[in-house]
Amino acid sequence: MLELAILGFLYDAPLHGYVLRRHIAALTGHVRPVAESTLYPAIKRLEKAGLLVRATEPGAVAAPRHVLSLTEDGGRELRRRLAEPAQREITDENHWFTLLAFLRHLADPAAQAVVLRRRLAFLEEPASFFYEGDRPLAAEELDDPFRRGVLTIARATSRAELAWLRDTLASLDGAGR
Amino acid sequence: MLELAILGFLYDAPLHGYVLRRHIAALTGHVRPVAESTLYPAIKRLEKAGLLVRATEPGAVAAPRHVLSLTEDGGRELRRRLAEPAQREITDENHWFTLLAFLRHLADPAAQAVVLRRRLAFLEEPASFFYEGDRPLAAEELDDPFRRGVLTIARATSRAELAWLRDTLASLDGAGR
DNA sequence: AGACCATACCTCGACACCGATGTATAGCGT
DNA sequence: ACGCTATACATCGGTGTCGAGGTATGGTCT
């Protein structure tokens, strides 16, 4: 998820770590903050894998900056991760939102549609958080107001997302034809 | 999050690891599956911390079971984690839903209300995923259909949750008086 | 002059998590 | 008899993440 965000931001323009950090904080920081001690090793990992290169520039304000840019391999890897996400990226909202934030980098509308359809299939599966045996329980069947809240909120999210998915898929299919 | 779920389920009734695993899978598994190799060490951690004890029983079907039950310390710890969650438990939906699933174990409506109000404060902060400088962008201002989707879905979730929070807080305040 | 904060990057130890793999019993279908 | 699945628990190596701490520069406030 973090690596995807790094690759995604660098796809648009070269950035140095400090700015990259603020970009990532804006994107997902209010939900799940990213520590510096997580970001810098992640950058090194990607550099070691040849997905990005760094160019040292004299610091505009303070210490020297390492400006990071994607290599061709990095661009390919980003597109690969966007086109063939692991199942976790589809099901976990945090991962999924990060993926959506960069899905436009997948130039082909048909490839974008494939990804959206995987999310659609996941949302269309009948699944709850609470069960009676194997039967998923509806919000109305629960006494617990907090568990009822979970289901109410999840249902509202699901409804909104399904509507958006169907809309967007229709216009992607239109564009592909 | 995992530990909270373990403590939460055991608060209702003693269970052995295998059943516990299925309970957890039902609760959060469709979004974020939990590996056995994560669950068993987590159980050991909690046991070592004195939060639960195990009693070996001959297996009803196969291998012997280790039936886990909460200690008094375990119950106290669960209530402490429910009453004073870390900020991450408030902001990250995965964590938050797990917390909500067990919040009823906090017997005091006033204490439950305190937790809900923290989530309310978080949701009422103006925050987006995308910014122009410091200004949060609205869905309508984005060209990218996928980013627009993120905001559309997040807004629907937020709306539904705010309504539910205000409702539930009102009835908790009524019960507390 | 000193305190403080923002910029900019980095290391280290601790630890939670995961996939792969292993062990053992019992039941079902072929 | 054989394979497969479900029950039931466990270990191990690799790795991603975090908190705490460190280094250095330059600007603002008092």
Side-chain angles (χ1 to χ4, degrees):
Chain A
M1 200 179 110
L2 175 58
E3 294 184 359
L4 187 68
I6 296 173
L7 297 175
F9 280 122
L10 292 184
Y11 194 88
D12 275 331
L15 294 171
H16 63 277
Y18 200 78
V19 170
L20 187 55
R21 183 170 194 259
R22 280 201 275 108
H23 277 65
I24 292 171
L27 185 64
T28 56
H30 58 294
V31 168
R32 178 183 285 272
V34 174
E36 284 191 19
S37 48
T38 305
L39 175 62
Y40 285 111
I43 290 173
K44 285 207 171 164
R45 270 201 309 280
L46 297 175
E47 191 190 6
K48 211 171 150 190
L51 305 183
L52 56 83
V53 288
R54 64 174 74 198
T56 305
E57 271 185 17
V61 185
R65 296 166 166 178
H66 297 297
V67 177
L68 313 168
S69 23
L70 272 199
T71 60
E72 269 183 45
D73 270 5
R76 248 194 306 278
E77 176 65 14
L78 171 64
R79 288 190 301 271
R80 200 194 58 74
R81 290 190 194 206
L82 290 173
E84 296 154 23
Q87 193 56 19
R88 173 80 115 270
E89 320 285 320
I90 300 289
T91 62
D92 188 324
E93 217 191 39
N94 292 328
H95 291 241
W96 174 241
F97 275 9
T98 313
L99 198 152
L100 276 184
F102 300 108
L103 194 56
R104 73 190 144 105
H105 291 150
L106 218 53
D108 179 17
Q112 293 170 336
V114 166
V115 179
L116 294 196
R117 254 184 273 274
R118 280 184 61 190
R119 176 76 177 177
L120 184 63
F122 166 67
L123 289 181
E124 278 173 343
E125 260 165 43
S128 173
F129 293 82
F130 312 109
Y131 293 81
E132 188 184 73
D134 278 343
R135 196 175 61 85
L137 291 170
E140 295 73 21
E141 301 177 73
L142 294 170
D143 287 335
D144 180 353
F146 308 113
R147 294 195 163 196
R148 211 155 55 213
V150 171
L151 291 188
T152 308
I153 298 157
R155 193 194 284 169
T157 306
S158 185
R159 237 201 276 278
E161 183 160 359
L162 284 170
W164 172 79
L165 276 172
R166 287 180 184 129
D167 250 42
T168 308
L169 278 169
S171 81
L172 286 178
D173 287 349
R177 239 184 293 123
Chain B
M1 205 178 105
L2 174 59
E3 295 184 1
L4 187 70
I6 296 173
L7 297 175
F9 280 122
L10 291 183
Y11 194 88
D12 275 331
L15 294 172
H16 63 277
Y18 199 79
V19 171
L20 187 55
R21 184 169 193 259
R22 279 201 275 107
H23 277 65
I24 292 170
L27 184 65
T28 56
H30 57 293
V31 168
R32 177 184 285 272
V34 173
E36 285 190 17
S37 49
T38 306
L39 176 62
Y40 286 112
I43 290 173
K44 284 207 171 161
R45 272 201 308 279
L46 297 174
E47 191 189 7
K48 210 171 151 190
L51 305 182
L52 58 84
V53 288
R54 65 172 74 196
T56 305
E57 271 185 17
V61 184
R65 295 167 166 176
H66 299 297
V67 177
L68 313 168
S69 23
L70 272 198
T71 61
E72 271 184 43
D73 270 6
R76 249 194 305 280
E77 177 65 12
L78 171 64
R79 289 190 300 272
R80 198 193 61 71
R81 290 190 195 206
L82 290 172
E84 297 156 21
Q87 193 56 19
R88 173 78 115 271
E89 319 284 318
I90 301 289
T91 61
D92 188 324
E93 218 192 38
N94 292 329
H95 291 242
W96 174 242
F97 275 9
T98 312
L99 199 152
L100 276 184
F102 300 107
L103 194 57
R104 73 192 144 104
H105 291 150
L106 218 55
D108 179 17
Q112 293 170 336
V114 166
V115 179
L116 294 196
R117 253 183 273 275
R118 279 184 61 190
R119 177 76 177 177
L120 184 63
F122 166 67
L123 289 182
E124 279 173 342
E125 260 165 42
S128 174
F129 292 83
F130 313 109
Y131 294 82
E132 188 183 75
D134 278 344
R135 195 175 62 84
L137 290 171
E140 294 73 21
E141 301 177 74
L142 295 169
D143 286 334
D144 180 355
F146 309 112
R147 294 195 163 195
R148 213 157 54 214
V150 171
L151 292 188
T152 308
I153 298 158
R155 192 193 286 170
T157 306
S158 184
R159 238 202 276 278
E161 182 159 0
L162 283 170
W164 172 79
L165 276 171
R166 288 182 183 126
D167 249 43
T168 308
L169 278 168
S171 80
L172 286 178
D173 288 349
R177 235 184 294 120

Short mmCIF file of all heavy atoms in Angstrom, two decimals, chain B residues 1-23:
data_model
loop_
_atom_site.label_atom_id
_atom_site.label_comp_id
_atom_site.label_asym_id
_atom_site.label_seq_id
_atom_site.Cartn_x
_atom_site.Cartn_y
_atom_site.Cartn_z
N MET B 1 -5.80 -4.83 17.17
CA MET B 1 -7.08 -5.15 16.55
C MET B 1 -7.40 -6.64 16.73
O MET B 1 -8.49 -7.00 17.15
CB MET B 1 -7.00 -4.86 15.05
CG MET B 1 -8.32 -4.58 14.41
SD MET B 1 -8.11 -4.19 12.67
CE MET B 1 -8.67 -5.70 11.91
N LEU B 2 -6.41 -7.48 16.42
CA LEU B 2 -6.58 -8.92 16.59
C LEU B 2 -6.76 -9.25 18.06
O LEU B 2 -7.66 -10.01 18.44
CB LEU B 2 -5.36 -9.64 16.01
CG LEU B 2 -5.32 -11.14 16.23
CD1 LEU B 2 -6.53 -11.82 15.63
CD2 LEU B 2 -4.04 -11.73 15.65
N GLU B 3 -5.91 -8.66 18.88
CA GLU B 3 -5.99 -8.95 20.32
C GLU B 3 -7.32 -8.49 20.89
O GLU B 3 -7.90 -9.17 21.74
CB GLU B 3 -4.82 -8.26 21.05
CG GLU B 3 -3.47 -8.83 20.65
CD GLU B 3 -2.30 -8.24 21.43
OE1 GLU B 3 -2.54 -7.39 22.32
OE2 GLU B 3 -1.15 -8.64 21.17
N LEU B 4 -7.78 -7.35 20.41
CA LEU B 4 -9.09 -6.85 20.87
C LEU B 4 -10.18 -7.85 20.52
O LEU B 4 -11.07 -8.12 21.35
CB LEU B 4 -9.38 -5.50 20.22
CG LEU B 4 -10.63 -4.78 20.73
CD1 LEU B 4 -10.42 -4.30 22.15
CD2 LEU B 4 -10.99 -3.60 19.84
N ALA B 5 -10.12 -8.40 19.33
CA ALA B 5 -11.13 -9.36 18.90
C ALA B 5 -11.07 -10.62 19.76
O ALA B 5 -12.11 -11.16 20.16
CB ALA B 5 -10.94 -9.70 17.43
N ILE B 6 -9.88 -11.09 20.06
CA ILE B 6 -9.73 -12.28 20.90
C ILE B 6 -10.35 -12.03 22.27
O ILE B 6 -11.18 -12.81 22.76
CB ILE B 6 -8.24 -12.66 21.05
CG1 ILE B 6 -7.65 -13.05 19.69
CG2 ILE B 6 -8.06 -13.79 22.05
CD1 ILE B 6 -6.15 -13.28 19.71
N LEU B 7 -9.95 -10.93 22.88
CA LEU B 7 -10.47 -10.59 24.21
C LEU B 7 -11.99 -10.42 24.16
O LEU B 7 -12.71 -10.89 25.04
CB LEU B 7 -9.81 -9.31 24.73
CG LEU B 7 -8.30 -9.36 24.96
CD1 LEU B 7 -7.76 -7.98 25.35
CD2 LEU B 7 -7.94 -10.38 26.04
N GLY B 8 -12.45 -9.77 23.11
CA GLY B 8 -13.88 -9.51 22.97
C GLY B 8 -14.72 -10.77 22.87
O GLY B 8 -15.75 -10.90 23.52
N PHE B 9 -14.26 -11.70 22.06
CA PHE B 9 -15.01 -12.95 21.91
C PHE B 9 -14.97 -13.78 23.19
O PHE B 9 -15.97 -14.39 23.59
CB PHE B 9 -14.47 -13.77 20.73
CG PHE B 9 -14.97 -13.29 19.39
CD1 PHE B 9 -14.08 -12.90 18.40
CD2 PHE B 9 -16.33 -13.24 19.12
CE1 PHE B 9 -14.54 -12.45 17.17
CE2 PHE B 9 -16.80 -12.80 17.89
CZ PHE B 9 -15.89 -12.40 16.91
N LEU B 10 -13.80 -13.81 23.83
CA LEU B 10 -13.67 -14.62 25.04
C LEU B 10 -14.45 -14.02 26.21
O LEU B 10 -14.77 -14.73 27.17
CB LEU B 10 -12.19 -14.77 25.43
CG LEU B 10 -11.34 -15.62 24.49
CD1 LEU B 10 -9.94 -15.74 25.02
CD2 LEU B 10 -11.97 -17.00 24.29
N TYR B 11 -14.76 -12.74 26.12
CA TYR B 11 -15.51 -12.09 27.19
C TYR B 11 -16.90 -12.70 27.32
O TYR B 11 -17.46 -12.80 28.41
CB TYR B 11 -15.64 -10.59 26.90
CG TYR B 11 -16.10 -9.76 28.07
CD1 TYR B 11 -15.18 -9.25 28.98
CD2 TYR B 11 -17.45 -9.48 28.27
CE1 TYR B 11 -15.60 -8.48 30.05
CE2 TYR B 11 -17.88 -8.71 29.34
CZ TYR B 11 -16.94 -8.21 30.22
OH TYR B 11 -17.36 -7.45 31.28
N ASP B 12 -17.45 -13.14 26.20
CA ASP B 12 -18.77 -13.77 26.20
C ASP B 12 -18.72 -15.20 26.71
O ASP B 12 -19.56 -15.61 27.50
CB ASP B 12 -19.35 -13.77 24.78
CG ASP B 12 -20.05 -12.46 24.46
OD1 ASP B 12 -20.56 -11.84 25.41
OD2 ASP B 12 -20.09 -12.08 23.28
N ALA B 13 -17.75 -15.96 26.22
CA ALA B 13 -17.69 -17.38 26.59
C ALA B 13 -16.31 -17.94 26.26
O ALA B 13 -15.67 -17.48 25.31
CB ALA B 13 -18.75 -18.16 25.81
N PRO B 14 -15.83 -18.92 27.04
CA PRO B 14 -14.57 -19.58 26.72
C PRO B 14 -14.67 -20.28 25.37
O PRO B 14 -15.71 -20.83 25.03
CB PRO B 14 -14.41 -20.60 27.86
CG PRO B 14 -15.27 -20.08 28.97
CD PRO B 14 -16.43 -19.42 28.29
N LEU B 15 -13.59 -20.23 24.63
CA LEU B 15 -13.55 -20.84 23.31
C LEU B 15 -12.17 -21.45 23.10
O LEU B 15 -11.21 -21.02 23.72
CB LEU B 15 -13.74 -19.77 22.22
CG LEU B 15 -15.07 -19.04 22.12
CD1 LEU B 15 -14.95 -17.89 21.13
CD2 LEU B 15 -16.15 -20.00 21.70
N HIS B 16 -12.07 -22.40 22.21
CA HIS B 16 -10.74 -22.85 21.85
C HIS B 16 -10.33 -22.20 20.53
O HIS B 16 -11.16 -21.64 19.82
CB HIS B 16 -10.62 -24.37 21.80
CG HIS B 16 -11.49 -25.01 20.77
ND1 HIS B 16 -12.82 -25.29 20.98
CD2 HIS B 16 -11.23 -25.42 19.51
CE1 HIS B 16 -13.33 -25.85 19.91
NE2 HIS B 16 -12.40 -25.93 19.00
N GLY B 17 -9.01 -22.25 20.26
CA GLY B 17 -8.43 -21.46 19.18
C GLY B 17 -9.10 -21.63 17.83
O GLY B 17 -9.31 -20.66 17.11
N TYR B 18 -9.46 -22.84 17.54
CA TYR B 18 -10.00 -23.11 16.21
C TYR B 18 -11.34 -22.42 15.98
O TYR B 18 -11.60 -21.86 14.92
CB TYR B 18 -10.16 -24.62 16.01
CG TYR B 18 -10.26 -25.03 14.57
CD1 TYR B 18 -9.12 -25.13 13.78
CD2 TYR B 18 -11.48 -25.32 14.00
CE1 TYR B 18 -9.20 -25.50 12.46
CE2 TYR B 18 -11.57 -25.70 12.67
CZ TYR B 18 -10.43 -25.79 11.90
OH TYR B 18 -10.51 -26.18 10.59
N VAL B 19 -12.20 -22.47 16.99
CA VAL B 19 -13.50 -21.80 16.90
C VAL B 19 -13.30 -20.28 16.91
O VAL B 19 -13.96 -19.55 16.16
CB VAL B 19 -14.42 -22.24 18.05
CG1 VAL B 19 -15.67 -21.38 18.09
CG2 VAL B 19 -14.79 -23.69 17.91
N LEU B 20 -12.39 -19.85 17.75
CA LEU B 20 -12.06 -18.43 17.83
C LEU B 20 -11.68 -17.91 16.45
O LEU B 20 -12.09 -16.83 16.01
CB LEU B 20 -10.90 -18.24 18.80
CG LEU B 20 -10.50 -16.82 19.17
CD1 LEU B 20 -11.69 -16.04 19.72
CD2 LEU B 20 -9.37 -16.84 20.19
N ARG B 21 -10.89 -18.71 15.77
CA ARG B 21 -10.46 -18.33 14.43
C ARG B 21 -11.64 -18.15 13.49
O ARG B 21 -11.69 -17.21 12.70
CB ARG B 21 -9.53 -19.42 13.87
CG ARG B 21 -8.98 -19.05 12.54
CD ARG B 21 -7.87 -19.97 12.10
NE ARG B 21 -7.22 -19.35 10.96
CZ ARG B 21 -7.44 -19.70 9.70
NH1 ARG B 21 -8.25 -20.69 9.42
NH2 ARG B 21 -6.84 -19.05 8.73
N ARG B 22 -12.61 -19.04 13.58
CA ARG B 22 -13.77 -18.92 12.70
C ARG B 22 -14.61 -17.70 13.06
O ARG B 22 -15.17 -17.03 12.18
CB ARG B 22 -14.60 -20.21 12.71
CG ARG B 22 -13.94 -21.25 11.76
CD ARG B 22 -14.89 -22.33 11.30
NE ARG B 22 -14.97 -23.42 12.27
CZ ARG B 22 -16.00 -23.64 13.06
NH1 ARG B 22 -17.07 -22.87 12.98
NH2 ARG B 22 -15.98 -24.63 13.91
N HIS B 23 -14.69 -17.42 14.35
CA HIS B 23 -15.40 -16.21 14.77
C HIS B 23 -14.74 -14.96 14.18
O HIS B 23 -15.41 -14.07 13.67
CB HIS B 23 -15.39 -16.10 16.30
CG HIS B 23 -16.45 -16.90 16.97
ND1 HIS B 23 -16.48 -18.28 16.92
CD2 HIS B 23 -17.52 -16.54 17.72
CE1 HIS B 23 -17.53 -18.71 17.61
NE2 HIS B 23 -18.17 -17.69 18.10
#
